Amino acid sequence: MPPDPAVELDWSLGSHAARLADWDAAVRTGRSISGSGPKVSHGERAAMRDQLTRQVERAESLVAECTGITVGGFRSRAWVMGRGDWTRQNLKGLQRAIEPLARRISERRPTTQTEKHTIARKALGVQIGALLGYVSRRVLGQVDMFLPPDDDGLIYFIGPNLIDVERAFSLSPEDFRLWVAIHEVTHRVQFSGAPWLRAELMRMVDAYLQSVSLDTKDLMEQLGRAVEELRPGGGAPGGILRLLTPEQRELFHRTQAMMSLLEGHASYVMNVVAKDVVEDLPRLQGALTRRRAVGGWEKGVQRAIGFDQKVAQYDAGERFVGQVVERIGMQGFNLVWAEPGNMPRPGEIEEPDRWVARVVG
């Protein structure tokens, strides 16, 4: 029986992951690509911290009233950070998450400090840092599932990005920040309402890492399947699926269904609650829609890392939640948090009636 990832997760950042990539290079690269964002005075930063502190507290009450789920444990609290801080925190989470895979690699290929190994570590660190550096320019807030238990309830808000959107689209900071706070607090409520959810997500990550083959022959066969399926008539969907084994594809679809549900639920609650507490909600929604509509090289980057598919996925998740709530009410929808088996299966997000029939009867 494989170890429980909730126990296996190494909160000290593990020595194996530290040897797998040059994390200092990742931090430097991430900061270089992210940039510092718009100029903000000390007074503006202090005001934003105070405002988001109050708004997170208010959002927790609003979300609890809407969903019928109250937050247990540590209170929700805001951490207003820069892009570099966000990149560093997510690099720490990534190190914790890949420690089991890094251990497998280390045991199979003992680390030697050769010039080739040093170059490979640095190259991997630069690639990871470049990806997170780009994402740090786009994300507005985050609930980090890889935080140590003592930090439960901490919600990230990327100050420069909030201000960038507010200035670009002439939005009310008070309304826009409350809107974003409601979305992120909803994620906190999800984890509180379903105490098993964090461990289930970790198990999915662990299952994927366990499925990664370290055998060169297996990797070549996997690439061969990708080439074969790229031909006319190839049966696999596009993008990353062509590089996955059948086992990994099944896990991928399960994970995507869960993430679509979580993000769709957060968007649904954010918009339902906001109707009564923010001014000109359509203007806020329109601003985010226009912000997503990138072009040129950035569109290519987003396609490569799956951003475009994510947006469609989350929209489908919001439609799923809305249709289920309309049919059986919020209390009926909340059965989704009762146990892992009640999470939507692949295909049910697009057909909510299938989920209702299976879970509610």
Side-chain angles (χ1 to χ4, degrees):
M1 183 176 181
D4 185 337
V7 176
E8 188 74 2
L9 202 62
D10 186 351
W11 300 112
S12 66
L13 298 188
S15 58
H16 297 287
R19 293 199 296 267
L20 186 63
D22 186 334
W23 300 98
D24 289 335
V27 170
R28 291 193 299 271
T29 304
R31 284 180 171 171
S32 175
I33 289 177
S34 69
S36 58
K39 291 185 178 180
V40 184
S41 69
H42 291 296
E44 286 176 306
R45 281 197 293 270
M48 175 179 278
R49 284 194 295 270
D50 291 343
Q51 186 180 58
L52 280 167
T53 295
R54 295 192 304 272
Q55 288 178 329
V56 162
E57 184 176 347
R58 183 185 180 194
E60 196 169 278
S61 297
L62 291 169
V63 172
E65 183 179 351
C66 175
T67 63
I69 303 171
T70 55
V71 172
F74 295 101
R75 65 180 179 83
S76 300
R77 53 207 186 279
W79 179 2
V80 182
M81 55 172 55
R83 293 171 178 173
D85 296 322
W86 182 89
T87 299
R88 186 171 58 252
Q89 287 300 115
N90 278 269
L91 284 169
K92 289 179 181 179
L94 181 60
Q95 283 181 262
R96 295 173 184 129
I98 68 170
E99 177 65 12
L101 175 61
R103 185 184 300 115
R104 287 176 59 209
I105 294 173
S106 178
E107 290 169 352
R108 185 180 178 92
R109 304 169 187 170
T111 301
T112 55
Q113 294 301 321
T114 63
E115 182 179 358
K116 183 178 179 181
H117 173 70
T118 300
I119 293 173
R121 284 184 69 249
K122 188 173 290 292
L124 181 57
V126 168
Q127 291 172 11
I128 294 170
L131 173 61
L132 286 179
Y134 171 76
V135 175
S136 75
R137 302 168 65 97
R138 307 296 304 177
V139 68
L140 299 174
Q142 179 191 9
V143 172
D144 187 349
M145 64 172 283
F146 294 118
L147 277 175
D150 288 350
D151 286 332
D152 184 36
L154 202 58
I155 300 175
Y156 302 158
F157 292 94
I158 297 75
N161 296 350
L162 292 171
I163 289 176
D164 193 34
V165 176
E166 291 161 3
R167 291 178 180 175
F169 299 103
S170 302
L171 303 180
S172 159
E174 181 175 355
D175 285 338
F176 182 63
R177 294 168 193 177
L178 177 59
W179 192 47
V180 173
I182 292 168
H183 184 277
E184 298 310 324
V185 168
T186 302
H187 282 311
R188 175 83 207 288
V189 166
Q190 292 165 353
F191 284 99
S192 183
W196 50 266
L197 183 57
R198 190 182 304 269
E200 186 68 13
L201 284 168
M202 288 180 180
R203 285 189 181 92
M204 287 183 172
V205 172
D206 188 64
Y208 173 77
L209 295 178
Q210 289 293 331
S211 74
V212 174
S213 175
L214 305 183
D215 187 279
T216 304
K217 181 174 180 290
D218 290 344
L219 291 175
M220 293 306 295
E221 289 178 354
Q222 199 167 332
L223 289 173
R225 283 195 300 274
V227 172
E228 184 65 28
E229 289 167 349
L230 279 168
R231 295 177 181 175
I240 192 174
L241 293 183
R242 294 193 182 102
L243 298 176
L244 301 181
T245 66
E247 176 190 1
Q248 289 168 340
R249 287 182 189 178
E250 180 182 355
L251 182 62
F252 176 84
H253 286 305
R254 284 176 50 215
T255 305
Q256 293 303 295
M258 179 179 285
M259 296 310 298
S260 183
L261 182 279
L262 297 180
E263 288 294 340
H265 177 249
S267 293
Y268 173 84
V269 172
M270 173 177 72
N271 290 320
V272 168
V273 171
K275 288 178 183 177
D276 297 325
V277 297
V278 303
E279 298 284 342
D280 202 358
L281 178 58
R283 180 182 177 84
L284 301 183
Q285 294 169 327
L288 280 196
T289 299
R290 293 196 300 276
R291 183 175 184 256
R292 289 173 174 175
V294 299
W297 67 270
E298 195 168 3
K299 187 173 183 178
V301 170
Q302 291 199 2
R303 187 182 297 114
I305 63 178
F307 254 48
D308 54 340
Q309 295 179 8
K310 261 188 169 183
V311 171
Q313 219 174 57
Y314 298 164
D315 289 345
E318 186 173 0
R319 286 193 297 273
F320 170 86
V321 177
Q323 290 175 28
V324 171
V325 171
E326 183 178 358
R327 178 169 172 179
I328 60 175
M330 184 62 76
Q331 187 174 356
F333 169 81
N334 282 343
L335 290 172
V336 78
W337 312 119
E339 59 178 276
N342 285 4
M343 276 278 145
R345 295 172 180 173
E348 291 180 343
I349 287 289
E350 294 76 18
E351 299 182 51
D353 285 348
R354 288 173 53 190
W355 179 86
V356 173
R358 179 175 65 85
V359 174
V360 183

